[in-house]
Amino acid sequence: MFFEGSEKKIEVIVTPGFGSLRALGREFWNEMVACANAEILSSINNEHCDAYLLSESSLFVWNDRFLMLTCGTTTLAKAVVRFISEVGADKIAFASYQRKNEYLSHLQSSAFTDDLTAIRALLPGDAFRIGHLDSHHHYIFTSNKPYEAAADDHTSELLMYHIRGEAADYLRGEHQSAAEIRSLLQLEAMLPGFVFDDFLFEPFGYSINGIRGDRYMTIHITPQENSSYVSFETNLPLEGEYRQIFSRLLGILNPGSWDEIGFNARRHTENYPAHLCLGSCALSMAQGYNVDFSHYQQLCHEVLIPEPM
Amino acid sequence: MFFEGSEKKIEVIVTPGFGSLRALGREFWNEMVACANAEILSSINNEHCDAYLLSESSLFVWNDRFLMLTCGTTTLAKAVVRFISEVGADKIAFASYQRKNEYLSHLQSSAFTDDLTAIRALLPGDAFRIGHLDSHHHYIFTSNKPYEAAADDHTSELLMYHIRGEAADYLRGEHQSAAEIRSLLQLEAMLPGFVFDDFLFEPFGYSINGIRGDRYMTIHITPQENSSYVSFETNLPLEGEYRQIFSRLLGILNPGSWDEIGFNARRHTENYPAHLCLGSCALSMAQGYNVDFSHYQQLCHEVLIPEPM
């Protein structure tokens, strides 16, 4: 029943002269997704964005940028290589490629270093590992061309591990509905005005995309006992009415540990469960992105249950 | 400069009718070690035990049992399979096979599940994973024949990650000597009466075996920055004059995190650095072994340094 929830992620911003990424059309994005070994399940759109729900995570396409997240054993780097080859590196203003640490990295078809070699052959850039190899860690590549991040370009990622409690039990249960999961996650209340598109996988697993104007949110849930993983990501500013999003999700899903990754994001830990921040890292990029990574664990001693094999 | 310090470990106790394992001779053990893709560098012995220092860790052979530890990308399971095939499963009274979680598991030639399949084809047994997949964890297989562990059969393992401070700097430095490392580790003071055999690897890395009567100790040091790992293991009872061994090693090597694994071992945390026990697990086996696993981290927030790739 194991499924690798942790994602690979690419974000590409094209140059002003490129034209619109949305105008490349559904067939183009179908092929991009197929390169990663995933497929499009459904989509929603508004005047700013096309949001695709994938068999493994999500794709968001705006006129000037796209963001693709894929989990499982997908081959996102192949899609990245295809995109760069197709449009040309000179049309790319900024690109970042990330990989979260996997539960079972040996089941992946490539390591981050392999992906890096393939991407760097087409697009020069810097890459870092953030976090110790024997704990939660993340890999990030960014192109190194001159670029200046826009003032409203911020991303906040919350990656939750070992969810527990009522919501987790429901998500692992036999009888579920997408409507009930949306209600459990309190999404309508947390994100008023968003249009959602969700999918309930068999026998477990849930994905949802939401958009409002040029803002997006996406949640992917792999509830499997002993390897559960839930990711939340948004380009909303986590302030004002959105200030409590992370603490509310932590309260609902009650993860044993979690990571936060921010790009020019505001961080606070108000109303968080009692926790220890095991490590954190700040990385400043010439293109105007301040990347923050923090690894948290609930402040309690855990009695581990031996897992028969 | 990466080297995988974490070990695979096999311990086999033969039936009283088997005769002496030591009498199998050097050539037999040479071949066993070669099966694991390692080689014997040197050896010491006394009336109870032959202790071999390997190119990757150690082999101890007593009349009724042997213990082999190998690190790096060695293939210990192949040696296990060879041994069982050669002597016959009916000659094995008890066997355990362990793997610690690796820094880079995707570089290993087999996963624990592969090893398990190969071993179980010859010798039935139980297997468990202890600890979460996204944190420190250990795999253990034990044969499930009736067997009763002897009263003095206890093993204590201390696995240290991310060593820091003066000793760590020396171990990563350019000029080292085996004598100075023995002195840094205070081995003569901690383990009076032991005969030692050690080896300093180029450019880094240090291994030492020690024996006294039927008691052994072994230390393997992989000092590389960002993936350092030091293992200490002994069948000494950690009480009386040996009560402070773990706390002294923790004081000298100052690891950011460490694990303890005990087989009928006494545990205490007196004089440990300020720490948090992130998780622990107790597993009781029908053959009379109480296996304890605990994962500790120093109680401090760590500022992580991005690692360029």
Side-chain angles (χ1 to χ4, degrees):
Chain A
M1 284 303 298
F2 176 77
F3 183 82
E4 188 69 70
S6 70
E7 290 104 352
K8 304 160 188 82
K9 173 181 165 182
I10 177 78
E11 182 160 5
V12 173
I13 304 173
V14 290
T15 58
F18 177 83
S20 168
L21 284 166
R22 299 177 79 187
L24 292 172
R26 174 73 175 249
E27 201 41 52
F28 179 89
W29 295 107
N30 271 343
E31 280 170 35
M32 275 285 288
V33 169
C35 267
N37 216 14
E39 55 178 312
I40 294 174
L41 300 176
S42 60
S43 66
I44 47 176
N45 60 74
N46 64 19
E47 59 174 322
H48 295 278
C49 180
D50 298 318
Y52 299 95
L53 210 58
L54 307 184
S55 52
E56 280 92 358
S57 306
S58 295
L59 167 66
F60 295 88
V61 186
W62 294 264
N63 286 324
D64 70 336
R65 68 188 63 201
F66 76 90
L67 162 66
M68 188 167 159
L69 291 153
T70 66
C71 60
T73 55
T74 49
T75 53
L76 185 61
K78 289 189 182 169
V80 177
V81 163
R82 180 181 185 277
F83 184 85
I84 305 171
S85 309
E86 193 107 342
V87 310
D90 59 313
K91 295 290 197 305
I92 293 175
F94 179 77
S96 67
Y97 175 72
Q98 283 184 74
R99 261 175 91 156
K100 279 85 182 174
N101 61 299
E102 289 106 13
Y103 273 110
L104 293 177
S105 64
H106 66 277
L107 299 183
Q108 294 293 315
S109 68
S110 69
F112 181 78
T113 48
D114 305 318
D115 297 350
L116 198 54
T117 304
I119 294 170
R120 272 185 170 153
L122 299 169
L123 186 68
D126 303 315
F128 295 93
R129 188 192 74 233
I130 299 174
H132 290 308
L133 282 170
D134 59 318
S135 181
H136 289 199
H137 58 276
H138 296 276
Y139 296 99
I140 180 164
F141 160 88
T142 52
S143 61
N144 57 13
K145 295 180 185 186
Y147 176 76
E148 183 60 37
D152 68 342
D153 186 353
H154 27 67
T155 307
S156 297
E157 304 177 22
L158 174 63
L159 315 172
M160 294 167 274
Y161 295 77
H162 307 295
I163 58 171
R164 296 175 289 204
E166 266 181 52
D169 291 343
Y170 180 82
L171 291 161
R172 289 193 265 265
E174 286 193 15
H175 305 289
Q176 302 164 38
S177 75
E180 183 63 26
I181 295 175
R182 283 198 304 277
S183 156
L184 264 178
L185 298 174
Q186 303 172 19
L187 294 181
E188 274 88 356
M190 270 196 279
L191 299 160
F194 268 73
V195 173
F196 295 111
D197 180 24
D198 59 1
F199 194 88
L200 190 56
F201 294 88
E202 283 287 340
F204 301 122
Y206 174 79
S207 287
I208 185 167
N209 286 339
I211 50 176
R212 196 190 73 185
D214 62 354
R215 301 292 109 177
Y216 75 94
M217 63 70 68
T218 186
I219 295 179
H220 299 282
I221 300 180
T222 300
Q224 275 84 329
E225 192 97 48
N226 298 323
S227 56
S228 63
Y229 175 84
V230 178
S231 67
F232 170 81
E233 172 169 337
T234 187
N235 60 351
L236 283 170
L238 296 190
E239 50 197 25
E241 62 184 316
Y242 304 120
R243 188 172 169 83
Q244 300 300 328
I245 290 183
F246 277 17
S247 60
R248 287 174 77 164
L249 287 170
L250 291 170
I252 295 164
L253 293 164
N254 191 26
S257 65
W258 65 94
D259 302 336
E260 295 182 15
I261 304 176
F263 290 74
N264 296 342
R266 292 189 56 174
R267 290 177 49 222
H268 67 86
T269 56
E270 167 189 311
N271 298 326
Y272 274 28
H275 61 273
L276 187 71
C277 181
L278 299 178
S280 61
C281 180
L283 185 61
S284 226
M285 290 177 180
Q287 295 91 346
Y289 291 103
N290 288 309
V291 182
D292 271 308
F293 166 74
S294 294
H295 173 34
Y296 296 91
Q297 163 150 339
Q298 287 209 37
L299 192 57
C300 57
H301 170 83
E302 187 175 6
V303 175
L304 300 163
I305 311 297
E307 169 84 356
M309 300 184 69
Chain B
M1 285 304 298
F2 176 78
F3 184 81
E4 188 70 69
S6 70
E7 290 104 352
K8 304 160 188 81
K9 173 181 166 183
I10 177 79
E11 183 160 4
V12 173
I13 304 173
V14 289
T15 58
F18 178 83
S20 168
L21 285 166
R22 299 177 79 187
L24 292 172
R26 175 73 175 250
E27 201 42 50
F28 179 89
W29 296 107
N30 271 343
E31 281 170 33
M32 275 286 286
V33 168
C35 268
N37 215 14
E39 55 179 313
I40 293 174
L41 299 176
S42 60
S43 65
I44 46 175
N45 60 74
N46 65 19
E47 59 175 323
H48 295 277
C49 180
D50 298 319
Y52 300 95
L53 209 57
L54 308 184
S55 52
E56 280 92 357
S57 307
S58 294
L59 166 67
F60 295 88
V61 186
W62 294 264
N63 285 326
D64 70 337
R65 68 188 64 202
F66 77 91
L67 161 67
M68 189 168 160
L69 291 152
T70 66
C71 60
T73 54
T74 48
T75 53
L76 184 59
K78 288 189 182 169
V80 177
V81 163
R82 180 181 185 278
F83 184 85
I84 305 171
S85 309
E86 194 106 341
V87 310
D90 58 312
K91 295 289 197 304
I92 292 175
F94 178 78
S96 66
Y97 176 72
Q98 283 184 74
R99 260 174 91 157
K100 279 85 183 173
N101 62 297
E102 289 106 11
Y103 274 110
L104 294 177
S105 64
H106 66 276
L107 299 183
Q108 295 293 315
S109 68
S110 68
F112 181 78
T113 48
D114 304 318
D115 298 348
L116 197 54
T117 304
I119 295 170
R120 273 185 170 154
L122 300 169
L123 187 68
D126 303 314
F128 296 92
R129 189 192 75 233
I130 299 174
H132 290 308
L133 282 170
D134 59 319
S135 182
H136 289 199
H137 58 275
H138 296 277
Y139 296 99
I140 181 163
F141 160 87
T142 52
S143 62
N144 56 13
K145 295 180 184 187
Y147 177 76
E148 182 61 36
D152 69 343
D153 185 354
H154 27 66
T155 307
S156 297
E157 305 177 23
L158 174 63
L159 316 172
M160 293 167 273
Y161 296 76
H162 306 295
I163 58 170
R164 295 175 290 204
E166 266 182 51
D169 290 344
Y170 180 82
L171 292 162
R172 289 194 265 264
E174 285 193 16
H175 305 289
Q176 302 163 37
S177 74
E180 183 63 25
I181 294 175
R182 282 198 304 277
S183 156
L184 265 178
L185 298 174
Q186 302 172 21
L187 294 181
E188 273 88 356
M190 271 196 279
L191 299 160
F194 268 72
V195 174
F196 295 111
D197 180 24
D198 60 0
F199 194 88
L200 189 56
F201 294 87
E202 282 289 340
F204 301 121
Y206 175 79
S207 287
I208 185 166
N209 286 340
I211 50 175
R212 197 190 71 186
D214 62 355
R215 301 291 109 178
Y216 75 95
M217 63 71 68
T218 185
I219 295 180
H220 300 282
I221 300 180
T222 301
Q224 275 85 331
E225 192 96 49
N226 297 322
S227 55
S228 63
Y229 175 84
V230 178
S231 67
F232 170 81
E233 173 169 335
T234 187
N235 61 351
L236 283 171
L238 296 189
E239 51 198 25
E241 62 183 318
Y242 304 120
R243 188 172 169 83
Q244 301 300 327
I245 290 184
F246 277 18
S247 60
R248 286 173 79 164
L249 287 169
L250 292 171
I252 296 163
L253 293 164
N254 192 26
S257 64
W258 65 94
D259 302 337
E260 294 182 15
I261 304 178
F263 289 74
N264 296 342
R266 293 189 56 173
R267 291 176 50 223
H268 68 86
T269 57
E270 172 187 307
N271 298 326
Y272 274 29
H275 62 272
L276 188 72
C277 181
L278 299 179
S280 62
C281 180
L283 183 61
S284 225
M285 289 176 181
Q287 295 90 347
Y289 291 104
N290 288 309
V291 182
D292 271 308
F293 166 74
S294 293
H295 172 34
Y296 296 91
Q297 165 151 338
Q298 286 209 39
L299 192 57
C300 57
H301 170 83
E302 188 175 5
V303 175
L304 301 162
I305 310 299
E307 170 84 356
M309 300 184 70

